[in-house]
Amino acid sequence: MVPGVIGLILMVVTLIITSLAIVREKENGNIEQMIVTPVKQREIIMGKIIPYIIIGLIDIIIITLVSLLIFNISFKGSFLLLIILSLFMIFTNLGIGIFISTISETQQQAMLTAIFFILPNILLSGFIFPIKNMPVILQYFTYLIPMRYYMVIIRGIFLKGNTFYELLPQTFALFLFGMVIFTFATWKFKKTL
């Protein structure tokens, strides 16, 4: 349960904060000022997400230290591998957050949409309930949940000491999710503006 909390907190923090980022600029009227500057739209997005990447990495470090020092969980894998593969999940979450912020008009709407997305990820990722114990239809649906793959990665590194090659299918799935979601979110951001 404790390694899974890393994925849970990472999703909550990066997704909700990112989903509020652009909406806040829309509500304040600052987004129009950014558009008329010579800054490109991808630079605006990068400027919005780089701080959240750093926050996500700091969260991983803090949660790992707490799990080792307070809960005495044994860490059998590579911490560097954990950080590198967590970047795929952060990338996916940031893409979802940007997409939510482009379709939302207010911060409250963005927050509720983010929570609406987070709940299925928590329930169907294997964090609370084992996927094998779910009805067969839901087991197939879990393949559409990015958190499912990250749970395998985090538990594999933390508890089993899995290597990159053992986690390659999950890493590839997160990479595909991230690329598709981030590309679509960037495209939607351009269309929205």
Side-chain angles (χ1 to χ4, degrees):
M1 192 72 161
V2 174
V5 172
I6 294 175
L8 175 66
I9 292 177
L10 190 65
M11 172 166 264
V12 169
V13 169
T14 56
L15 197 132
I16 288 180
I17 293 176
T18 308
S19 66
L20 295 175
I22 296 172
V23 176
R24 188 178 312 118
E25 301 294 337
K26 280 190 212 174
E27 282 187 342
N28 294 338
N30 296 338
I31 196 83
E32 289 85 7
Q33 293 174 356
M34 279 193 256
I35 294 170
V36 297
T37 62
V39 177
K40 296 183 175 103
Q41 290 170 337
R42 69 174 177 266
E43 293 170 345
I44 292 172
I45 291 175
M46 291 305 292
K48 288 291 179 191
I49 66 169
I50 287 175
Y52 304 128
I53 292 171
I54 295 169
I55 289 170
L57 293 174
I58 291 171
D59 283 343
I60 293 169
I61 293 168
I62 291 171
I63 298 165
T64 303
L65 286 174
V66 167
S67 64
L68 294 175
L69 300 175
I70 295 177
F71 294 108
N72 294 322
I73 305 291
S74 62
F75 188 85
K76 296 186 178 177
S78 166
F79 184 71
L80 181 61
L81 182 63
L82 173 66
I83 294 291
I84 291 170
L85 297 186
S86 294
L87 286 172
F88 290 104
M89 186 64 185
I90 292 172
F91 185 64
T92 303
N93 289 341
L94 293 176
I96 295 167
I98 290 171
F99 176 71
I100 290 171
S101 68
T102 57
I103 62 171
S104 302
E105 296 297 322
T106 64
Q107 291 184 50
Q108 291 84 8
Q109 185 181 9
M111 178 76 79
L112 289 173
T113 307
I115 291 171
F116 180 74
F117 184 81
I118 289 170
L119 286 176
N121 271 276
I122 293 170
L123 295 173
L124 299 176
S125 66
F127 174 67
I128 298 174
F129 312 109
I131 294 174
K132 292 180 182 179
N133 293 349
M134 295 179 188
V136 176
I137 295 172
L138 288 180
Q139 288 181 23
Y140 287 117
F141 187 69
T142 63
Y143 289 106
L144 301 174
I145 305 289
M147 186 77 149
R148 173 195 208 274
Y149 303 101
Y150 188 64
M151 282 295 159
V152 175
I153 290 172
I154 195 84
R155 289 176 177 158
I157 292 172
F158 225 92
L159 304 174
K160 299 176 187 173
N162 286 353
T163 62
F164 175 73
Y165 295 106
E166 293 171 309
L167 298 170
L168 193 58
Q170 289 79 19
T171 304
F172 184 68
L174 271 182
F175 175 75
L176 282 180
F177 269 111
M179 289 302 294
V180 169
I181 292 169
F182 207 82
T183 303
F184 185 70
T186 306
W187 175 78
K188 180 71 174 153
F189 179 72
K190 289 178 185 177
K191 294 259 316 182
T192 303
L193 297 178

